Amino acid sequence: MAVDASTLPYEWYVDPGTFELERRRIFSATWQYVGHVGRVGSPGDFFTTRLGELPVVITRDEDGRLHALRNVCCHRSAEVMLAPEGNRKTLQCHYHAWSYGLDGRLVGAPRSGQEPGFRKEDFALRPLRLETYGPFIFVNPDDEAPSLGEVMGELPAIVKRTGLALDALRCRERREYRLKANWKVVVENYLECYHCQVAHPSFADAIDLNSYEIDEYRYVSTQHGPPKHDEVAADLQVKEGRYNYLWPTFMLNTYPGPGNASTNSIVPIDADNTLAVYEFFFEDGASDEFATETTGLIHQVMVEDITLCESVQRGMRTGTFEHGRLMLRYEHAIRHFQDLVRESLAA
C-alpha cells in the first residue's frame, strides 16, 4: 500500500494569508520560548520580547516572582517599555508616564486624581501564562491551552538521560540570525539530517550519521547519534549528540562532552522572513576551549543552513511545483511537524 509522502502545499510557505492564519491558530495558542532565567536574575530585572505581533515584558518582582505581561499600556496602547532589558523599580510608559509595578499593577497615572471615578485597580497590564523548564522561560497567550508539562510530555525524561544537569547551566553567549525564509522551512531543515553529509561536513565529522536515529512523540521529536570517534564516549558526561524539537518553534540541543546545551528559538516575522535566536549554555566544568569549539561548530552549521533555507524559499516562490516529496526513512520528523501544522490550521 502506497504511503502519502507529500509535503505541505508550497503555497503555504509563501502566502501572507496562510501566515496570518498561523499567527492566530498556532502562535496565539502555544508555548513559546522567550529567554532564560539568567536574564531576570535579580529583583527589578526585565527584558522585552514579542510573541508574533504581541509585545511582551518579562519581569522579576521584589519577592522574586517571575511575570509575563503584555507590554501594552492601558491608557492609549503604547508599548510601555522600549528598552530590550534593564532593572527598574517600576515600568513607566514612555508616552504619558503611566507607571506599573513589576507585577503589572498600575501604581501611578499623572493627574489621575483630577479624574472623577478613576481607580488604579481598574487598570493593570494584562498577564500571560508563564512556566519554566530548568533555566528556560516559556510564555503562552492562551489561557485555555494545556500546561507546558503536558505539551513537553517525554522531553524532560529524554534530556535527563543525556546526563545534563539543567540547573547547572549558565548562558555564555546569544546570537541572532535572520533568514529570508518562511519559519516552516527553517524548522523542517532542523528536523532532518538527510542533508548533513552533503551540506554540513563539520557536523558529519563529529556525529556518526550511520547510527543517527529520530524518535517522535505527540509534540516532540528527537534526533540523536553518538560521536563519530566513540572510543572516548565512556569518558564523556554527555555521551551523544541529541537534538530535541518542541512544537512549534523551540529546539534544545546537546553535544558530546561536558555539560552543555544550546537553544534555537525560531521567531516568525512574515511569510518570507524568520529570526533565529541561538543561546549557548555550559556547566561550570566545561572549558573555554570546549565552549568555543562547540559554539563555532553550531555557528558554522547555521551559516550553511541559512544558504539552504533561503534557496528553498526562492524555489518555492517560483511556483514550479505544488508540493514536494519527503524521503520518509530520513524525513519522517518533517511529516510529524507538518501533521501538527495541518491539525492546527484545521482547528
Side-chain angles (χ1 to χ4, degrees):
M1 178 174 162
V3 176
D4 184 5
S6 299
T7 67
L8 296 175
Y10 284 166
E11 183 182 9
W12 289 19
Y13 297 80
V14 300
D15 174 41
T18 300
F19 181 79
E20 290 305 315
L21 184 61
E22 290 168 346
R23 273 188 169 167
R24 296 194 303 272
R25 298 279 178 83
I26 297 175
F27 297 104
S28 294
T30 54
W31 289 100
Q32 292 148 70
Y33 176 66
V34 295
H36 61 90
V37 295
R39 297 188 68 186
V40 280
S42 301
D45 285 352
F46 75 90
F47 68 87
T48 55
T49 186
R50 304 184 79 85
L51 297 181
E53 291 185 317
L54 176 65
V56 177
V57 58
I58 307 298
T59 68
R60 187 178 293 274
D61 68 22
E62 295 300 323
D63 294 323
R65 294 187 298 259
L66 291 174
H67 302 272
L69 306 167
R70 295 173 186 258
N71 190 22
V72 179
C73 185
C74 301
H75 175 218
R76 298 265 297 282
S77 289
E79 294 170 320
V80 177
M81 302 304 298
L82 297 181
E85 59 187 0
N87 183 282
R88 293 183 56 94
K89 297 291 185 183
T90 62
L91 307 176
Q92 186 177 80
C93 180
H94 66 105
Y95 196 0
H96 297 94
W98 281 37
S99 297
Y100 301 87
L102 298 169
D103 60 357
R105 292 176 300 108
L106 181 66
V107 296
R111 304 174 191 170
S112 59
Q114 302 171 22
E115 290 292 312
F118 186 93
R119 300 179 349 128
K120 291 179 183 176
E121 54 268 34
D122 292 339
F123 303 94
L125 299 181
R126 292 183 61 185
L128 296 162
R129 294 173 67 189
L130 179 152
E131 293 191 35
T132 59
Y133 166 55
F136 311 123
I137 302 172
F138 291 83
V139 174
N140 193 328
D142 185 0
D143 291 337
E144 304 301 321
S147 69
L148 177 63
E150 290 179 74
V151 175
M152 293 180 71
E154 296 83 354
L155 182 58
I158 291 169
V159 173
K160 186 175 182 179
R161 289 196 295 270
T162 67
L164 185 65
L166 285 181
D167 292 336
L169 292 174
R170 301 290 180 269
C171 185
R172 294 199 188 185
E173 189 175 352
R174 182 178 188 270
R175 298 188 184 187
E176 294 186 357
Y177 303 88
R178 292 188 176 269
L179 299 90
K180 296 178 181 179
N182 185 273
W183 71 277
K184 297 187 295 298
V185 170
V186 182
V187 171
E188 290 171 4
N189 176 76
Y190 174 89
L191 290 175
E192 51 91 0
C193 213
Y194 184 43
H195 70 283
C196 292
Q197 193 73 52
V198 175
H200 301 313
S202 57
F203 183 86
D205 187 55
I207 301 298
D208 182 3
L209 299 183
N210 291 324
S211 302
Y212 204 78
E213 297 182 358
I214 305 174
D215 306 314
E216 299 169 9
Y217 304 89
R218 179 65 176 98
Y219 293 107
V220 169
S221 63
T222 179
Q223 306 171 65
H224 51 101
K228 197 161 191 179
H229 309 290
D230 59 3
E231 65 274 6
V232 299
D235 300 325
L236 302 178
Q237 177 183 345
V238 179
K239 302 186 187 307
E240 65 175 354
R242 175 72 68 161
Y243 313 101
N244 305 293
Y245 165 75
L246 175 66
W247 165 260
T249 54
F250 178 69
M251 295 90 169
L252 176 61
N253 317 295
T254 61
Y255 281 82
N260 72 94
S262 63
T263 58
N264 312 357
S265 180
I266 308 305
V267 183
I269 297 174
D270 57 33
D272 290 303
N273 292 277
T274 300
L275 173 68
V277 180
Y278 280 35
E279 294 174 331
F280 304 93
F281 299 82
F282 299 90
E283 295 185 23
D284 290 340
S287 68
D288 290 342
E289 180 183 8
F290 174 76
T292 299
E293 288 179 356
T294 304
T295 302
L297 171 61
I298 296 169
H299 171 72
Q300 178 61 37
V301 169
M302 185 55 182
V303 169
E304 294 159 353
D305 279 337
I306 290 173
T307 299
L308 301 175
C309 291
E310 293 186 346
S311 175
V312 167
Q313 188 73 12
R314 291 193 299 269
M316 287 178 167
R317 276 221 160 268
T318 66
T320 302
F321 301 103
E322 292 184 7
H323 55 76
R325 203 276 189 195
L326 295 174
M327 301 293 283
L328 291 177
R329 169 65 179 85
Y330 305 100
E331 298 180 313
H332 55 89
I334 294 180
R335 184 174 66 176
H336 172 260
F337 164 75
Q338 294 187 348
D339 285 346
L340 290 171
V341 172
R342 290 187 186 96
E343 177 185 322
S344 298
L345 297 191

